[in-house]
Amino acid sequence: MTELMIDAQQVCKSFGSLEVLTGIDLQVPRGEVACLIGPSGSGKSTFLRCVNHLEKVTAGRLYVDGDLIGYRERDGVLYEISEKEAARQRADIGMVFQQFNLFPHRTVLENVIEAPVHVKGTPVATAKKRALELLDQVGLAHKANAYPVQLSGGQQQRVAIARAVAMDPKLMLFDEPTSALDPELVGEVLRVMRELADDGMTMLVVTHEMGFAREVADTVVFMDGGRVVEAGTPAQVLDNPQEGRTRAFLSSLF
């Protein structure tokens, strides 16, 4: 069992002639939280989507829990795996997006049990029991029979987190999970994420919430122009950045 949950080695990604990632090296140990910060367009979300093969890397290698993501290597040559195999890898990686992406025609409970039942084959009764436990954890057990339209944005995002955790992932990816929320709803989502981190979940989080990064992250990674400019502990990167570009970005926030 590898100690690294994420091991990115010179990961590059291009869209046609546009180079979005230019050789990302990033390691996230099991049980740790890494926060990606940086300006819009720096490649943070693209890198996150490469981790579960929603985007295909152009070059380099990306491993999750020791498994090469999206490809099989033979004699030094990479061969893309089938979509079915990619979906199997993806089932072990939870992802929470900016938008909540809940099924509008299904109740909260039905949203949470959908993937465990239909992807992992979990018995419905078992999935419901687990879903109610998770909804209780995120403070929404009383909304189990409500529909997404009846929930606030913060409540919908907490349901989205419960839905991802219901698959028992070994890694959770968060793509700016609070950016679509009204400011007063941000705290309730960050609380749930803090509890996940406290429970030992490995997390890679794209965020603009510097307070969350400072409090929860083991590593803060500042990206700009498709590359890692600086990485270290929150104290190192947020309080004592060594790179001028990092300092300029942080000064623009405060």
Side-chain angles (χ1 to χ4, degrees):
M1 184 180 289
T2 176
E3 292 182 5
L4 290 180
M5 182 60 74
I6 299 174
D7 184 11
Q9 303 174 4
Q10 285 296 295
V11 169
C12 298
K13 173 65 181 177
S14 297
F15 294 99
S17 60
L18 177 64
E19 204 171 16
V20 180
L21 300 177
T22 59
I24 300 291
D25 287 311
L26 178 65
Q27 287 74 42
V28 181
R30 183 185 307 277
E32 293 197 1
V33 177
C35 285
L36 303 181
I37 66 170
S40 297
S42 58
K44 307 182 301 296
S45 293
T46 298
F47 176 72
L48 200 74
R49 292 170 65 85
C50 287
V51 172
N52 64 358
H53 203 54
L54 287 176
E55 296 290 354
K56 302 171 185 178
V57 302
T58 307
R61 286 161 173 73
L62 217 166
Y63 297 87
V64 171
D65 200 21
D67 293 329
L68 182 61
I69 293 297
Y71 298 88
R72 187 174 293 106
E73 185 170 358
R74 286 198 298 270
D75 300 324
V77 179
L78 296 183
Y79 300 88
E80 189 173 353
I81 61 178
S82 69
E83 181 52 40
K84 185 176 181 180
E85 291 173 294
R88 196 175 301 124
Q89 288 186 332
R90 216 172 277 132
D92 290 326
I93 304 171
M95 187 159 183
V96 177
F97 300 87
Q98 296 179 31
Q99 301 299 329
F100 323 121
N101 298 328
L102 300 177
F103 296 117
H105 59 292
R106 293 198 169 106
T107 66
V108 165
L109 182 62
E110 289 167 345
N111 266 278
V112 177
I113 70 170
E114 173 77 12
V117 170
H118 294 288
V119 177
K120 286 200 165 179
T122 305
V124 172
T126 304
K128 281 185 175 180
K129 183 174 183 292
R130 173 71 171 143
L132 288 170
E133 290 171 355
L134 290 170
L135 289 172
D136 186 51
Q137 279 184 29
V138 301
L140 289 171
H142 63 295
K143 296 289 189 180
N145 295 316
Y147 287 87
V149 71
Q150 297 171 300
L151 306 180
S152 70
Q155 289 172 329
Q156 289 188 60
Q157 193 63 295
R158 284 186 280 155
V159 172
I161 294 172
R163 180 179 59 177
V165 175
M167 288 290 282
D168 292 320
K170 52 191 173 187
L171 169 65
M172 284 286 290
L173 308 176
F174 292 88
D175 188 5
E176 299 192 35
T178 60
S179 66
L181 300 178
D182 292 332
E184 66 268 23
L185 302 178
V186 168
E188 64 190 50
V189 173
L190 295 181
R191 175 188 61 79
V192 172
M193 293 172 65
R194 284 188 191 94
E195 290 173 359
L196 272 181
D198 289 343
D199 288 341
M201 176 66 75
T202 311
M203 296 162 55
L204 183 61
V205 184
V206 174
T207 186
H208 290 296
E209 299 290 341
M210 296 302 136
F212 175 82
R214 183 186 304 280
E215 180 185 343
V216 178
D218 297 284
T219 303
V220 174
V221 180
F222 174 66
M223 289 180 61
D224 189 32
R227 64 187 184 93
V228 172
V229 175
E230 190 165 356
T233 66
Q236 289 170 331
V237 176
L238 300 179
D239 297 332
N240 190 30
Q242 300 302 298
E243 299 292 332
R245 183 66 190 92
T246 314
R247 290 194 292 271
F249 171 75
L250 291 172
S251 67
S252 72
L253 301 178
F254 305 109

